[in-house]
Amino acid sequence: RRKCLFIDLPELINPEKFVGRPFEGDFVSYARTSRFDDLLAALEDYYERKNNNKGIPDRTYVFLDIFCANQCLLRDNSEEMVEERRSHLAEGLHAAIKYFDEKLFFFD
């Protein structure tokens, strides 16, 4: 099993060589109610299959959409939040998603 704590990752001592170019790799979004280890298992399975079951490629960049949206506010249907949500979806991060290599969504 892979290490999942930041303090367990020696790569973070010199992160520059492990960070891709802007928008390089895949954008990954998942439901807040999902278990993080289920997301990681699904991603491992996806990339292994994409690599013809030869294991996960040595270099795979993903942008995890973890802190980009306050999902509690996304459920707020007040007039003010509906307009703010529309604006963010049309002009914010979601407008940039098109530049990623792939867009992956995980819902359990």
Side-chain angles (χ1 to χ4, degrees):
R1 192 92 178 141
R2 294 178 182 232
K3 295 180 179 184
C4 295
L5 298 175
F6 286 125
I7 59 173
D8 291 333
L9 300 173
E11 297 88 11
L12 293 180
I13 295 170
N14 185 11
E16 294 80 24
K17 71 183 212 179
F18 295 96
V19 176
R21 295 181 315 276
F23 303 108
E24 178 180 9
D26 303 335
F27 177 87
V28 178
S29 183
Y30 74 102
R32 190 180 101 188
T33 56
S34 300
R35 290 174 39 123
F36 192 71
D37 60 337
D38 289 342
L39 168 66
L40 293 180
L43 288 172
E44 286 179 345
D45 183 61
Y46 172 79
Y47 287 112
E48 184 170 343
R49 288 173 190 245
K50 185 177 176 182
N51 198 29
N52 297 316
N53 295 318
K54 295 177 185 171
I56 300 169
D58 289 339
R59 283 281 181 257
T60 302
Y61 296 105
V62 295
F63 178 91
L64 292 178
D65 184 18
I66 297 175
F67 303 111
C68 295
N70 182 334
Q71 292 192 11
C72 293
L73 289 178
L74 290 177
R75 292 189 297 252
D76 181 344
N77 289 322
S78 67
E79 188 175 321
E80 177 183 350
M81 283 309 303
V82 168
E83 176 54 30
E84 186 172 339
R85 191 165 46 236
R86 185 211 60 75
S87 174
H88 285 301
L89 291 174
E91 302 162 11
L93 174 67
H94 292 75
I97 291 173
K98 65 183 174 188
Y99 296 108
F100 285 93
D101 297 331
E102 290 192 67
K103 296 83 178 158
L104 306 173
F105 299 90
F106 177 78
F107 300 97
D108 58 352

